[in-house]
Amino acid sequence: MGKVVMGFQRGSKQLGWPTANLDPAAFEHVLDAAEEGVYVGWATVSDVRLPEASRTSVHKAVLSIGWNPFYQNSERTVEAFLCHDFGGRDFYDTQMKLIICAFLRPQASFATLEALKEVIAADVEYGIKVLDQPPQIDLSADPFFSDGNEPPTQVSHHTLTQPDSSPRHDRVA
């Protein structure tokens, strides 16, 4: 669980993928062991200002953990794109519960912003398909998302394969 904080404002403005930036301090115990890259998971946001369907549902998430090499960040970030239409509403300072299910690929730098956008679009498309399959889909009903439960203390790393069985991380440009 972590608080949604103000990020660099690039997700929706430059990339077309609005992200919820989580306070890295909330994940320090997990981040040191986590490989930097793109992951999929499930998330909830409990902001009472959001419509009921937005705050009571568990949403698919595609997230980036790391330094974002294209932008040469000076700090490590945890940025989650939630696969849900929040109607353009922000939910800063809200607690987000997040379960990271699987690793898709390592972080990479890209020659152009357009190349980065294309890969993000492919990651989201692939991530949604991955989350619709067992065992990832089962984690959407994890008791962690019920009130009063504590977050998991470890991240399980699973390298996923594309339908043609080639390793997903081989696709990185």
Side-chain angles (χ1 to χ4, degrees):
M1 185 162 26
K3 183 171 82 168
V4 178
V5 297
M6 184 76 71
F8 295 107
Q9 302 294 298
R10 297 185 292 231
S12 59
K13 291 180 176 69
Q14 289 183 10
L15 300 170
W17 299 98
T19 58
N21 295 270
L22 298 171
D23 183 357
F27 297 92
E28 284 179 7
H29 64 286
V30 177
L31 283 180
D32 286 342
E35 181 176 349
E36 294 167 354
V38 178
Y39 291 81
V40 294
W42 296 96
T44 60
V45 180
S46 58
D47 190 334
V48 296
R49 299 170 293 178
L50 294 173
E52 185 175 353
S54 296
R55 69 175 186 270
T56 59
S57 299
V58 179
H59 306 289
K60 294 174 183 170
V62 179
L63 58 146
S64 170
I65 297 176
W67 302 92
N68 296 323
F70 179 80
Y71 289 104
Q72 301 176 341
N73 286 2
S74 61
E75 58 188 70
R76 199 170 189 193
T77 59
V78 178
E79 302 175 83
F81 169 72
L82 303 186
C83 303
H84 177 77
D85 182 359
F86 288 92
R89 293 180 174 95
D90 291 324
F91 36 90
Y92 296 117
D93 297 319
T94 299
Q95 292 295 316
M96 177 186 290
K97 289 184 176 182
L98 174 68
I99 292 178
I100 299 172
C101 302
F103 179 80
L104 295 186
R105 65 170 178 84
Q107 284 200 327
S109 189
F110 298 91
T112 66
L113 183 61
E114 285 306 313
L116 174 59
K117 288 179 181 181
E118 288 175 15
V119 171
I120 292 171
D123 289 340
V124 170
E125 180 181 345
Y126 182 69
I128 289 169
K129 290 176 185 174
V130 166
L131 289 167
D132 283 335
Q133 303 299 315
Q136 284 74 26
I137 196 167
D138 302 330
L139 291 170
S140 67
D142 192 280
F144 169 58
F145 292 119
S146 301
D147 287 338
N149 287 295
E150 293 299 316
T153 57
Q154 295 183 352
V155 177
S156 176
H157 296 277
H158 302 284
T159 300
L160 300 175
T161 57
Q162 294 182 37
D164 67 358
S165 297
S166 62
R168 172 71 176 163
H169 63 269
D170 284 351
R171 205 180 68 107
V172 176

